[in-house]
Amino acid sequence: MSEAPGGNWTGGTLPAGTSSASVFAHAAGAGWVPQNDLPRTVTGPRCWTWRAPEGEASLVEDHRTGLRHVEARPAPFAERLVAELHLERVPELVERARTAADPLERMRALHALDFQQHSAAMVAAETAPEDPDSPGHALLPDTAPHLEAFERGLDDPVPGVRRAAVGGLAYSVWPGSREILRRRRGDLPAFAELIDQRLDAELPRIKTG
């Protein structure tokens, strides 16, 4: 068997109401070979991976949010799956988080952006300069569409949506997330403990190369 393809994982989130069965049916029809079936843990989601003729694919079931995410590599294979499986990506999720009348839809969009933001950061790190304050690590930009959506979510009238927004910022690898949390901490007393924990912790860094 050939080695795993290079490149970072990218993809999107299955639309609401779409079950994991649709991915398994697609995998069977396309001749994907199962590789791993990682069970759910207390802190981690369940994950399946396949070897496909074009690369690798994974399905993640996040029991915390009820969302199902599909990622693949290399990039051309991932782009094709986005179209074939009608995966939701950042632009439409940002728009839904901003405009959806149903708070559950806004919360779902923020949770999906939270999941997808790490993959986006990994892709951005491929061309980012080296951080002069942290040699060997990528200097990511301070802004990202994910962060804009999270900050808007901090002002949502529904507590669950605000909690999703805080969570997205708290576990972000984008440097701008810290400034938002620091600036908005006084507006969010219910989440002060979580915010303080993240501000006191070292920002996760992505290695270059």
Side-chain angles (χ1 to χ4, degrees):
M1 183 174 291
S2 61
E3 295 182 358
N8 287 304
W9 296 88
T10 57
T13 303
L14 287 172
T18 303
S19 72
S20 296
S22 64
V23 180
F24 285 97
H26 188 94
W32 297 359
V33 179
Q35 298 294 298
N36 293 297
D37 178 355
L38 303 178
R40 191 185 88 181
T41 65
V42 173
T43 58
R46 187 165 187 179
C47 178
W48 296 266
T49 59
W50 292 266
R51 169 79 63 171
E54 307 92 330
E56 290 180 325
S58 70
L59 167 65
V60 176
E61 283 187 348
D62 186 350
H63 61 283
R64 298 171 302 111
T65 63
L67 299 180
R68 298 170 176 86
H69 311 277
V70 177
E71 294 193 332
R73 59 182 183 179
F77 179 37
E79 290 295 327
R80 205 188 80 200
L81 285 184
V82 168
E84 293 176 348
L85 296 174
H86 308 291
L87 302 179
E88 298 175 328
R89 304 190 84 178
V90 172
E92 58 199 295
L93 292 169
V94 168
E95 181 65 12
R96 188 174 303 128
R98 184 178 70 86
T99 64
D102 186 344
L104 290 178
E105 285 193 35
R106 299 197 300 274
M107 184 168 62
R108 182 183 185 279
L110 290 175
H111 281 312
L113 287 168
D114 186 3
F115 181 89
Q116 293 187 29
Q117 67 173 326
H118 188 269
S119 295
M122 292 292 291
V123 172
E126 293 177 348
T127 56
E130 184 177 66
D131 189 342
D133 297 324
S134 184
H137 297 90
L139 180 63
L140 296 175
D142 287 336
T143 58
H146 313 70
L147 301 187
E148 297 171 13
F150 295 147
E151 184 165 18
R152 274 198 306 270
L154 299 179
D155 296 316
D156 197 278
V158 177
V161 179
R162 294 199 299 272
R163 176 63 179 81
V166 171
L169 291 166
Y171 297 102
S172 178
V173 298
W174 298 90
S177 62
R178 296 303 177 91
E179 175 54 32
I180 296 172
L181 288 174
R182 197 172 287 113
R183 175 163 38 85
R184 297 298 306 273
R185 181 189 181 282
D187 303 329
L188 302 160
F191 308 109
E193 183 177 357
L194 172 60
I195 292 173
D196 288 343
Q197 288 176 354
R198 302 315 298 175
L199 291 177
D200 291 341
E202 184 176 353
L203 178 72
R205 297 286 185 176
I206 299 175
K207 292 184 178 179
T208 57

